[in-house]
Coordinates of all heavy atoms in Angstrom, one line a residue:
M1 N 56.6 249.5 -7.5 CA 57.3 248.7 -6.5 C 58.7 248.5 -7.0 O 58.9 248.0 -8.2 CB 56.5 247.4 -6.2 CG 57.3 246.5 -5.3 SD 56.5 244.9 -5.3 CE 55.9 244.9 -3.6
A2 N 59.7 248.7 -6.2 CA 61.1 248.5 -6.7 C 61.4 247.0 -6.7 O 61.0 246.3 -5.8 CB 62.1 249.2 -5.7
A3 N 62.2 246.6 -7.7 CA 62.6 245.2 -7.7 C 63.6 244.9 -6.6 O 64.5 245.7 -6.3 CB 63.3 244.9 -9.1
R4 N 63.5 243.8 -6.0 CA 64.4 243.3 -5.0 C 65.7 242.9 -5.6 O 65.7 242.1 -6.6 CB 63.8 242.2 -4.2 CG 64.7 241.8 -3.0 CD 64.0 240.7 -2.3 NE 64.8 239.5 -2.5 CZ 64.6 238.3 -2.1 NH1 63.5 238.0 -1.5 NH2 65.4 237.3 -2.3
P5 N 66.9 243.5 -5.2 CA 68.1 243.0 -5.8 C 68.3 241.6 -5.6 O 68.0 241.0 -4.5 CB 69.2 243.9 -5.1 CG 68.5 244.5 -3.9 CD 67.0 244.4 -4.1
E6 N 68.9 240.9 -6.6 CA 69.2 239.5 -6.5 C 70.2 239.2 -5.4 O 71.3 239.8 -5.4 CB 69.6 239.0 -7.8 CG 69.7 237.5 -7.9 CD 70.0 237.0 -9.3 OE1 69.2 237.3 -10.2 OE2 71.0 236.3 -9.5
L7 N 69.9 238.4 -4.5 CA 70.9 238.0 -3.4 C 72.0 237.1 -4.0 O 71.7 236.2 -4.8 CB 70.2 237.3 -2.3 CG 69.4 238.2 -1.3 CD1 68.8 237.3 -0.3 CD2 70.2 239.3 -0.7
T8 N 73.2 237.3 -3.6 CA 74.3 236.4 -4.0 C 75.0 235.9 -2.8 O 74.9 236.5 -1.7 CB 75.3 237.2 -4.9 OG1 75.9 238.3 -4.2 CG2 74.7 237.6 -6.2
C9 N 75.6 234.8 -3.0 CA 76.3 234.1 -1.9 C 77.5 234.9 -1.4 O 78.4 235.3 -2.3 CB 76.7 232.7 -2.3 SG 77.6 231.7 -1.1
F10 N 77.7 235.0 -0.1 CA 78.8 235.7 0.5 C 80.2 235.1 0.1 O 81.2 235.8 -0.1 CB 78.7 235.6 2.0 CG 79.7 236.3 2.8 CD1 79.8 237.7 2.9 CD2 80.7 235.6 3.5 CE1 80.7 238.3 3.7 CE2 81.6 236.2 4.3 CZ 81.6 237.6 4.4
L11 N 80.2 233.7 -0.1 CA 81.4 233.1 -0.4 C 81.7 233.0 -1.9 O 82.7 233.5 -2.4 CB 81.4 231.6 0.1 CG 82.7 230.8 -0.2 CD1 83.9 231.4 0.4 CD2 82.5 229.4 0.2
C12 N 80.8 232.4 -2.7 CA 81.0 232.1 -4.1 C 80.5 233.2 -5.1 O 80.8 233.1 -6.3 CB 80.5 230.7 -4.5 SG 78.7 230.7 -4.6
E13 N 79.7 234.1 -4.6 CA 79.1 235.2 -5.4 C 78.1 234.7 -6.5 O 77.6 235.5 -7.3 CB 80.2 236.0 -6.0 CG 81.1 236.7 -5.0 CD 82.1 237.6 -5.7 OE1 83.0 237.1 -6.3 OE2 81.9 238.8 -5.5
R14 N 77.7 233.4 -6.5 CA 76.7 233.0 -7.4 C 75.3 233.4 -6.8 O 75.1 233.6 -5.6 CB 76.7 231.4 -7.5 CG 77.9 230.9 -8.1 CD 77.9 229.3 -8.2 NE 77.7 228.8 -6.9 CZ 76.9 227.8 -6.6 NH1 76.1 227.3 -7.5 NH2 76.8 227.3 -5.4
P15 N 74.3 233.5 -7.7 CA 72.9 233.8 -7.2 C 72.5 232.7 -6.3 O 72.9 231.5 -6.4 CB 72.1 233.8 -8.5 CG 73.0 234.0 -9.6 CD 74.3 233.4 -9.2
L16 N 71.7 233.1 -5.3 CA 71.2 232.1 -4.3 C 70.0 231.3 -4.9 O 69.3 231.9 -5.7 CB 70.8 232.8 -3.0 CG 72.0 233.3 -2.2 CD1 71.7 234.3 -1.2 CD2 72.8 232.1 -1.6
G17 N 69.8 230.1 -4.5 CA 68.7 229.3 -4.9 C 67.5 229.4 -3.9 O 67.4 230.4 -3.2
T18 N 66.8 228.3 -3.9 CA 65.6 228.3 -3.0 C 66.0 228.1 -1.6 O 65.2 228.5 -0.7 CB 64.6 227.1 -3.4 OG1 65.3 225.9 -3.4 CG2 64.0 227.4 -4.8
R19 N 67.1 227.4 -1.3 CA 67.5 227.3 0.1 C 68.7 228.2 0.4 O 69.7 228.3 -0.3 CB 68.0 225.8 0.3 CG 66.9 224.8 0.3 CD 67.2 223.5 1.0 NE 67.7 223.7 2.3 CZ 68.7 223.0 2.8 NH1 69.3 222.0 2.1 NH2 69.1 223.2 4.1
V20 N 68.5 229.0 1.4 CA 69.5 230.0 1.8 C 69.8 229.8 3.3 O 68.9 229.6 4.1 CB 69.0 231.5 1.6 CG1 70.0 232.5 2.1 CG2 68.6 231.7 0.2
E21 N 71.1 229.8 3.6 CA 71.5 229.7 5.0 C 72.1 231.0 5.4 O 72.5 231.8 4.5 CB 72.4 228.5 5.3 CG 71.7 227.2 5.1 CD 72.5 226.0 5.5 OE1 73.7 226.1 5.9 OE2 71.9 224.9 5.4
W22 N 72.3 231.3 6.7 CA 72.8 232.6 7.1 C 74.1 232.3 7.9 O 74.1 231.5 8.9 CB 71.8 233.3 7.9 CG 70.7 233.7 7.0 CD1 69.5 233.0 6.7 CD2 70.6 234.9 6.2 NE1 68.8 233.6 5.8 CE2 69.4 234.8 5.4 CE3 71.4 236.0 6.0 CZ2 69.0 235.7 4.5 CZ3 71.0 236.9 5.1 CH2 69.8 236.8 4.3
H23 N 75.2 232.8 7.5 CA 76.5 232.6 8.1 C 76.9 233.9 8.9 O 76.7 235.0 8.5 CB 77.5 232.4 6.9 CG 79.0 232.4 7.4 ND1 79.5 231.4 8.2 CD2 80.0 233.2 7.1 CE1 80.8 231.6 8.4 NE2 81.1 232.7 7.8
H24 N 77.5 233.6 10.0 CA 78.1 234.7 10.8 C 79.6 234.9 10.4 O 80.4 234.0 10.8 CB 78.1 234.4 12.3 CG 76.7 234.4 12.9 ND1 75.8 233.3 12.9 CD2 76.1 235.4 13.6 CE1 74.7 233.7 13.5 NE2 74.8 234.9 14.0
P25 N 80.0 235.9 9.7 CA 81.4 236.1 9.3 C 82.3 236.1 10.6 O 83.4 235.5 10.5 CB 81.4 237.5 8.7 CG 80.0 237.6 8.1 CD 79.1 237.0 9.2
I26 N 81.9 236.7 11.6 CA 82.6 236.5 12.9 C 81.6 235.6 13.7 O 80.5 236.0 13.9 CB 82.8 237.9 13.6 CG1 83.7 238.7 12.8 CG2 83.3 237.6 15.1 CD1 83.9 240.1 13.4
P27 N 82.1 234.4 14.1 CA 81.2 233.5 14.7 C 80.5 234.0 15.9 O 81.0 234.8 16.7 CB 82.2 232.4 15.1 CG 83.3 232.5 14.2 CD 83.5 233.9 13.9
K28 N 79.2 233.6 16.0 CA 78.4 234.0 17.1 C 79.0 233.7 18.5 O 79.0 234.5 19.4 CB 77.0 233.3 17.0 CG 75.9 233.8 17.9 CD 74.6 233.1 17.6 CE 73.5 233.5 18.5 NZ 72.3 232.8 18.2
S29 N 79.7 232.6 18.6 CA 80.4 232.2 19.8 C 81.5 233.2 20.2 O 82.0 233.2 21.3 CB 80.9 230.8 19.7 OG 82.0 230.7 18.7
R30 N 81.9 234.0 19.2 CA 83.0 234.9 19.4 C 82.5 236.4 19.3 O 83.3 237.3 19.1 CB 84.1 234.7 18.4 CG 84.7 233.3 18.5 CD 86.1 233.2 18.1 NE 86.7 231.9 18.4 CZ 87.5 231.8 19.5 NH1 87.8 232.8 20.2 NH2 88.0 230.6 19.7
G31 N 81.2 236.5 19.5 CA 80.6 237.9 19.6 C 80.0 238.4 18.3 O 79.6 239.6 18.3
G32 N 80.1 237.7 17.2 CA 79.6 238.1 16.0 C 78.0 238.2 16.0 O 77.4 237.4 16.5
R33 N 77.5 239.3 15.4 CA 76.1 239.4 15.3 C 75.6 239.5 13.8 O 74.5 239.0 13.5 CB 75.6 240.7 16.0 CG 75.9 240.7 17.5 CD 75.3 242.0 18.1 NE 75.5 242.0 19.5 CZ 74.7 241.5 20.4 NH1 73.6 241.0 20.0 NH2 74.9 241.5 21.7
E34 N 76.4 240.0 12.9 CA 76.0 240.1 11.5 C 75.9 238.7 10.9 O 76.6 237.8 11.2 CB 77.1 240.9 10.8 CG 76.9 241.0 9.3 CD 78.1 241.5 8.5 OE1 79.2 241.6 9.0 OE2 77.9 241.8 7.3
T35 N 74.9 238.6 10.0 CA 74.8 237.4 9.2 C 74.7 237.8 7.7 O 74.3 238.9 7.4 CB 73.5 236.6 9.6 OG1 72.4 237.4 9.4 CG2 73.5 236.1 11.0
V36 N 75.2 236.8 6.9 CA 75.2 237.0 5.5 C 74.7 235.8 4.8 O 74.8 234.7 5.3 CB 76.7 237.3 5.0 CG1 77.2 238.7 5.5 CG2 77.6 236.2 5.4
P37 N 74.0 235.9 3.6 CA 73.4 234.8 3.0 C 74.5 233.9 2.2 O 75.4 234.5 1.6 CB 72.5 235.4 2.0 CG 73.1 236.8 1.7 CD 73.8 237.2 2.9
V38 N 74.3 232.6 2.3 CA 75.2 231.7 1.7 C 74.4 230.4 1.2 O 73.3 230.1 1.8 CB 76.3 231.2 2.6 CG1 77.3 232.3 2.9 CG2 75.8 230.6 3.9
H39 N 74.9 229.8 0.2 CA 74.3 228.5 -0.2 C 74.6 227.5 0.9 O 75.7 227.6 1.6 CB 75.0 227.9 -1.5 CG 74.8 228.7 -2.7 ND1 75.8 229.6 -3.2 CD2 73.7 228.9 -3.5 CE1 75.3 230.2 -4.2 NE2 74.1 229.8 -4.5
P40 N 73.8 226.5 1.2 CA 74.1 225.5 2.2 C 75.4 224.8 1.9 O 76.2 224.6 2.9 CB 72.9 224.5 2.0 CG 71.8 225.3 1.5 CD 72.4 226.3 0.6
I41 N 75.8 224.4 0.7 CA 77.0 223.8 0.4 C 78.2 224.7 0.7 O 79.2 224.2 1.2 CB 77.1 223.2 -1.0 CG1 78.3 222.2 -1.1 CG2 77.1 224.3 -2.1 CD1 78.3 221.4 -2.4
C42 N 78.1 226.0 0.5 CA 79.1 226.9 0.8 C 79.3 227.1 2.3 O 80.4 227.1 2.8 CB 78.8 228.3 0.1 SG 78.9 228.2 -1.7
H43 N 78.2 227.1 3.0 CA 78.2 227.3 4.4 C 78.9 226.1 5.1 O 79.8 226.2 5.9 CB 76.8 227.4 5.0 CG 76.7 227.9 6.3 ND1 75.6 227.8 7.1 CD2 77.6 228.7 7.1 CE1 75.8 228.4 8.2 NE2 77.0 228.9 8.3
R44 N 78.6 224.9 4.6 CA 79.2 223.7 5.2 C 80.7 223.6 4.8 O 81.5 223.2 5.6 CB 78.5 222.4 4.7 CG 77.2 222.2 5.5 CD 76.2 221.3 4.7 NE 74.9 221.2 5.4 CZ 74.0 222.2 5.5 NH1 74.3 223.4 5.0 NH2 72.9 222.0 6.1
T45 N 81.1 224.1 3.6 CA 82.5 224.1 3.2 C 83.3 225.1 4.0 O 84.4 224.8 4.4 CB 82.6 224.4 1.7 OG1 81.8 223.3 1.0 CG2 84.0 224.3 1.3
I46 N 82.7 226.2 4.3 CA 83.4 227.2 5.2 C 83.8 226.6 6.5 O 84.9 226.6 7.0 CB 82.6 228.5 5.4 CG1 82.5 229.3 4.1 CG2 83.2 229.3 6.5 CD1 81.4 230.4 4.2
H47 N 82.7 226.0 7.2 CA 82.9 225.4 8.5 C 83.7 224.1 8.5 O 84.4 223.8 9.5 CB 81.6 225.2 9.2 CG 81.0 226.5 9.6 ND1 81.6 227.3 10.6 CD2 80.0 227.3 9.1 CE1 80.9 228.4 10.8 NE2 79.9 228.4 9.8
K48 N 83.8 223.4 7.4 CA 84.6 222.2 7.2 C 86.1 222.6 7.1 O 87.0 221.9 7.6 CB 84.2 221.4 6.0 CG 85.1 220.2 5.7 CD 84.8 219.6 4.4 CE 85.9 218.6 4.0 NZ 86.3 218.7 2.6
T49 N 86.3 223.7 6.5 CA 87.7 224.2 6.2 C 88.3 225.0 7.4 O 89.5 224.9 7.7 CB 87.7 225.0 4.9 OG1 87.0 224.3 3.9 CG2 89.1 225.4 4.5
L50 N 87.5 225.8 8.0 CA 88.0 226.7 9.1 C 87.3 226.6 10.4 O 86.1 226.5 10.4 CB 87.9 228.2 8.5 CG 88.7 228.5 7.3 CD1 88.2 229.8 6.7 CD2 90.2 228.6 7.6
G51 N 88.0 226.7 11.5 CA 87.4 226.7 12.8 C 87.0 228.1 13.2 O 87.4 229.1 12.5
N52 N 86.2 228.3 14.2 CA 85.7 229.6 14.7 C 86.8 230.6 15.0 O 86.7 231.8 14.7 CB 84.8 229.4 15.9 CG 83.4 228.9 15.5 OD1 83.1 228.9 14.3 ND2 82.7 228.5 16.5
K53 N 87.9 230.1 15.6 CA 89.0 231.0 15.9 C 89.7 231.5 14.6 O 90.0 232.7 14.5 CB 90.1 230.3 16.7 CG 91.2 231.2 17.3 CD 92.2 230.4 18.0 CE 91.7 229.9 19.4 NZ 92.7 229.3 20.2
E54 N 89.8 230.7 13.6 CA 90.4 231.1 12.3 C 89.5 232.1 11.6 O 89.9 233.1 11.1 CB 90.6 229.9 11.4 CG 91.7 229.0 11.9 CD 91.7 227.7 11.1 OE1 90.7 227.0 11.1 OE2 92.7 227.4 10.5
L55 N 88.2 231.8 11.7 CA 87.2 232.7 11.0 C 87.2 234.1 11.7 O 87.3 235.1 11.0 CB 85.8 232.1 11.1 CG 85.5 231.0 10.2 CD1 84.1 230.3 10.6 CD2 85.4 231.4 8.8
E56 N 87.3 234.1 13.0 CA 87.3 235.4 13.7 C 88.6 236.2 13.4 O 88.6 237.4 13.2 CB 87.2 235.2 15.2 CG 87.4 236.4 16.0 CD 87.6 236.2 17.5 OE1 88.0 235.1 17.9 OE2 87.2 237.1 18.3
R57 N 89.7 235.5 13.4 CA 91.0 236.2 13.4 C 91.5 236.6 12.0 O 92.2 237.5 11.8 CB 92.1 235.3 14.0 CG 91.9 235.2 15.5 CD 93.0 234.5 16.2 NE 92.8 234.5 17.6 CZ 93.5 233.8 18.5 NH1 94.5 233.1 18.0 NH2 93.3 233.9 19.8
G58 N 91.1 235.8 11.0 CA 91.6 236.1 9.6 C 90.7 235.9 8.4 O 91.1 236.2 7.3
Y59 N 89.5 235.4 8.7 CA 88.7 235.0 7.5 C 87.3 235.5 7.7 O 86.3 234.8 7.3 CB 88.7 233.5 7.3 CG 90.1 233.0 6.9 CD1 90.9 232.5 7.8 CD2 90.5 233.1 5.6 CE1 92.2 232.0 7.4 CE2 91.7 232.7 5.2 CZ 92.6 232.1 6.1 OH 93.8 231.7 5.7
S60 N 87.1 236.7 8.2 CA 85.7 237.3 8.4 C 85.2 238.1 7.2 O 84.1 238.5 7.2 CB 85.7 238.1 9.6 OG 86.5 239.2 9.5
T61 N 86.1 238.2 6.2 CA 85.6 239.0 5.0 C 85.5 238.0 3.8 O 86.2 237.0 3.8 CB 86.6 240.1 4.6 OG1 87.8 239.5 4.2 CG2 86.8 241.0 5.7
P62 N 84.7 238.3 2.8 CA 84.6 237.4 1.7 C 85.9 237.3 0.9 O 86.3 236.3 0.4 CB 83.5 238.0 0.8 CG 83.3 239.4 1.3 CD 83.8 239.4 2.7
E63 N 86.6 238.4 0.8 CA 87.9 238.4 0.1 C 88.9 237.5 0.8 O 89.6 236.7 0.1 CB 88.5 239.9 0.1 CG 87.7 240.9 -0.7 CD 86.5 241.4 0.1 OE1 86.4 241.3 1.4 OE2 85.6 242.0 -0.5
A64 N 89.0 237.5 2.1 CA 89.9 236.6 2.8 C 89.5 235.1 2.6 O 90.3 234.3 2.4 CB 89.9 237.0 4.3
L65 N 88.2 234.9 2.7 CA 87.7 233.5 2.5 C 88.1 233.0 1.1 O 88.6 231.9 0.9 CB 86.2 233.4 2.7 CG 85.7 233.5 4.1 CD1 84.2 233.6 4.1 CD2 86.1 232.3 4.9
R66 N 87.8 233.9 0.1 CA 88.1 233.5 -1.3 C 89.6 233.3 -1.6 O 89.9 232.5 -2.5 CB 87.5 234.5 -2.2 CG 86.0 234.5 -2.2 CD 85.4 235.5 -3.2 NE 84.1 235.8 -2.8 CZ 83.6 237.1 -2.5 NH1 84.4 238.1 -2.7 NH2 82.4 237.2 -2.1
A67 N 90.4 233.9 -0.8 CA 91.9 233.7 -1.0 C 92.4 232.5 -0.3 O 93.5 232.1 -0.6 CB 92.6 235.0 -0.4
H68 N 91.7 231.9 0.6 CA 92.1 230.6 1.2 C 92.3 229.5 0.1 O 91.3 229.3 -0.6 CB 91.1 230.2 2.3 CG 91.6 229.0 3.1 ND1 91.5 227.7 2.6 CD2 92.1 229.0 4.3 CE1 92.0 226.9 3.6 NE2 92.4 227.7 4.6
P69 N 93.4 228.8 0.1 CA 93.6 227.9 -1.0 C 92.5 226.8 -1.2 O 92.1 226.5 -2.3 CB 95.0 227.2 -0.7 CG 95.6 228.2 0.2 CD 94.6 229.0 0.9
E70 N 92.1 226.2 -0.1 CA 91.0 225.2 -0.2 C 89.7 225.8 -0.7 O 89.0 225.2 -1.4 CB 90.9 224.5 1.1 CG 92.0 223.5 1.4 CD 91.7 222.7 2.7 OE1 90.6 222.1 2.8 OE2 92.6 222.7 3.6
L71 N 89.4 226.9 -0.1 CA 88.1 227.6 -0.5 C 88.2 228.1 -2.0 O 87.2 228.0 -2.7 CB 87.7 228.7 0.5 CG 87.4 228.2 1.9 CD1 87.1 229.4 2.8 CD2 86.2 227.3 1.9
A72 N 89.3 228.6 -2.4 CA 89.5 229.0 -3.8 C 89.3 227.8 -4.7 O 88.6 228.0 -5.8 CB 90.9 229.6 -4.0
K73 N 89.8 226.7 -4.4 CA 89.6 225.5 -5.2 C 88.1 225.1 -5.3 O 87.6 224.8 -6.3 CB 90.5 224.3 -4.6 CG 90.4 223.1 -5.4 CD 91.3 222.0 -4.8 CE 91.2 220.7 -5.6 NZ 92.0 219.7 -5.0
F74 N 87.5 225.1 -4.1 CA 86.0 224.8 -4.0 C 85.2 225.8 -4.9 O 84.4 225.4 -5.7 CB 85.6 224.9 -2.6 CG 84.1 224.9 -2.4 CD1 83.3 223.7 -2.6 CD2 83.4 226.1 -2.2 CE1 81.9 223.8 -2.5 CE2 82.0 226.1 -2.1 CZ 81.3 225.0 -2.2
I75 N 85.5 227.1 -4.8 CA 84.8 228.1 -5.5 C 84.9 227.9 -7.0 O 84.0 228.0 -7.8 CB 85.2 229.5 -5.1 CG1 84.8 229.8 -3.7 CG2 84.7 230.6 -6.0 CD1 85.5 231.0 -3.0
A76 N 86.1 227.5 -7.5 CA 86.4 227.3 -8.9 C 85.5 226.1 -9.4 O 84.9 226.1 -10.4 CB 87.8 227.0 -9.2
W77 N 85.4 225.1 -8.5 CA 84.6 223.9 -8.8 C 83.1 224.2 -8.8 O 82.4 223.7 -9.7 CB 85.0 222.8 -7.8 CG 84.1 221.6 -7.9 CD1 84.2 220.6 -8.9 CD2 83.0 221.2 -7.1 NE1 83.2 219.6 -8.7 CE2 82.5 220.0 -7.6 CE3 82.4 221.8 -6.0 CZ2 81.4 219.4 -7.0 CZ3 81.3 221.1 -5.4 CH2 80.8 219.9 -5.9
I78 N 82.7 224.9 -7.9 CA 81.2 225.2 -7.8 C 80.7 226.2 -8.7 O 79.5 226.3 -9.0 CB 80.9 225.6 -6.3 CG1 79.4 225.4 -6.0 CG2 81.2 227.0 -6.0 CD1 79.0 224.0 -5.6
A79 N 81.6 227.0 -9.4 CA 81.2 228.1 -10.2 C 80.2 227.8 -11.3 O 79.3 228.7 -11.6 CB 82.5 228.7 -10.8
T80 N 80.2 226.7 -11.8 CA 79.3 226.3 -12.9 C 78.1 225.5 -12.5 O 77.2 225.2 -13.3 CB 80.0 225.5 -14.0 OG1 80.5 224.3 -13.5 CG2 81.2 226.3 -14.6
K81 N 78.0 225.3 -11.2 CA 76.8 224.5 -10.7 C 75.6 225.4 -10.5 O 75.7 226.6 -10.3 CB 77.2 223.8 -9.4 CG 78.5 223.0 -9.4 CD 78.3 221.7 -10.1 CE 79.5 220.8 -9.8 NZ 80.5 220.8 -10.9
D82 N 74.5 224.7 -10.6 CA 73.2 225.3 -10.4 C 73.1 225.9 -8.9 O 73.7 225.3 -8.0 CB 72.1 224.3 -10.6 CG 70.7 224.8 -10.4 OD1 70.1 225.4 -11.4 OD2 70.1 224.7 -9.3
P83 N 72.4 227.0 -8.7 CA 72.3 227.6 -7.4 C 71.8 226.6 -6.3 O 72.1 226.7 -5.1 CB 71.4 228.8 -7.5 CG 71.5 229.2 -8.9 CD 71.8 227.9 -9.7
D84 N 71.0 225.6 -6.7 CA 70.4 224.7 -5.7 C 71.2 223.4 -5.7 O 70.8 222.4 -5.0 CB 68.9 224.4 -6.0 CG 68.1 225.6 -5.7 OD1 68.2 226.1 -4.5 OD2 67.2 226.0 -6.5
F85 N 72.4 223.3 -6.3 CA 73.2 222.1 -6.3 C 73.7 221.9 -4.9 O 74.0 222.8 -4.2 CB 74.4 222.3 -7.2 CG 75.4 221.2 -7.1 CD1 75.2 220.0 -7.8 CD2 76.6 221.3 -6.3 CE1 76.2 219.0 -7.7 CE2 77.5 220.3 -6.2 CZ 77.3 219.1 -6.9
H86 N 73.7 220.6 -4.5 CA 74.2 220.3 -3.2 C 74.9 218.9 -3.3 O 74.5 218.1 -4.0 CB 73.1 220.2 -2.1 CG 73.6 220.2 -0.7 ND1 74.3 221.2 -0.1 CD2 73.7 219.1 0.1 CE1 74.7 220.9 1.1 NE2 74.4 219.6 1.3
A87 N 75.9 218.7 -2.5 CA 76.6 217.5 -2.4 C 77.2 217.3 -1.0 O 77.4 218.3 -0.3 CB 77.7 217.4 -3.4
P88 N 77.5 216.1 -0.6 CA 78.1 215.9 0.8 C 79.4 216.7 0.8 O 80.2 216.7 -0.1 CB 78.3 214.4 0.9 CG 77.4 213.8 -0.1 CD 77.2 214.8 -1.2
T89 N 79.7 217.3 2.0 CA 81.0 218.0 2.2 C 82.0 217.3 3.0 O 83.1 217.8 3.2 CB 80.7 219.4 2.7 OG1 79.9 219.3 3.9 CG2 80.0 220.3 1.7
G90 N 81.6 216.2 3.7 CA 82.5 215.5 4.6 C 82.7 216.2 5.9 O 81.9 217.1 6.2
R91 N 83.7 215.8 6.7 CA 83.9 216.3 8.0 C 85.1 217.2 8.0 O 86.0 217.1 7.2 CB 84.1 215.1 9.0 CG 82.8 214.3 9.1 CD 83.1 213.1 10.1 NE 81.9 212.3 10.1 CZ 81.1 212.2 11.2 NH1 81.4 212.8 12.3 NH2 80.1 211.4 11.2
R92 N 85.1 218.0 9.1 CA 86.3 218.9 9.3 C 87.5 218.1 9.5 O 87.5 217.1 10.2 CB 86.0 219.8 10.5 CG 87.1 220.8 10.8 CD 86.6 221.9 11.7 NE 87.7 222.6 12.3 CZ 88.6 223.3 11.8 NH1 88.5 223.6 10.5 NH2 89.5 223.9 12.4
K93 N 88.6 218.6 8.9 CA 89.9 217.9 9.1 C 90.5 218.2 10.4 O 90.3 219.3 11.0 CB 90.9 218.4 8.0 CG 90.4 218.0 6.6 CD 91.4 218.6 5.6 CE 90.8 218.3 4.2 NZ 91.6 218.9 3.2
G94 N 91.3 217.3 11.0 CA 92.0 217.5 12.2 C 91.2 217.6 13.4 O 91.3 217.8 14.4

């Protein structure tokens, strides 16, 4: 039996923990069908930082998300945390 490759988070690239959420890189409300695995805290941070229109138009790839200044700062902070680490993310700005 072949070993299952370890899943990593679409945003932060850390191994996933026991809780996995599924993110639509192109929002479902904008016709997106593909889903990718993310940590719950990463998923909430993506949606706190960017609206669906922004996600569709310029942030549908992991590289684009990682280049966003706020998300880059978050990724640097979360890099050493346990895969099951979670903390409140607050509300979307604006």
Side-chain angles (χ1 to χ4, degrees):
M1 177 190 247
R4 187 178 109 184
E6 188 172 302
L7 288 178
T8 58
C9 179
F10 181 75
L11 178 64
C12 73
E13 298 183 288
R14 294 179 303 132
L16 290 163
T18 56
R19 289 198 55 219
V20 176
E21 292 188 359
W22 296 89
H23 171 68
H24 288 85
I26 296 176
K28 193 174 175 181
S29 64
R30 300 206 169 259
R33 293 184 180 271
E34 177 191 13
T35 59
V36 293
V38 290
H39 296 104
I41 193 170
C42 293
H43 199 198
R44 283 160 185 69
T45 301
I46 291 169
H47 288 289
K48 174 188 169 223
T49 307
L50 299 163
N52 284 347
K53 188 182 287 186
E54 294 168 300
L55 286 169
E56 176 192 25
R57 291 185 178 171
Y59 293 98
S60 61
T61 67
E63 297 80 17
L65 286 170
R66 291 182 203 124
H68 186 282
E70 284 185 53
L71 293 175
K73 183 177 175 183
F74 166 79
I75 292 165
W77 173 75
I78 199 83
T80 60
K81 307 286 191 262
D82 182 86
D84 286 312
F85 173 80
H86 192 74
T89 53
R91 295 180 185 247
R92 180 163 160 71
K93 296 176 185 171

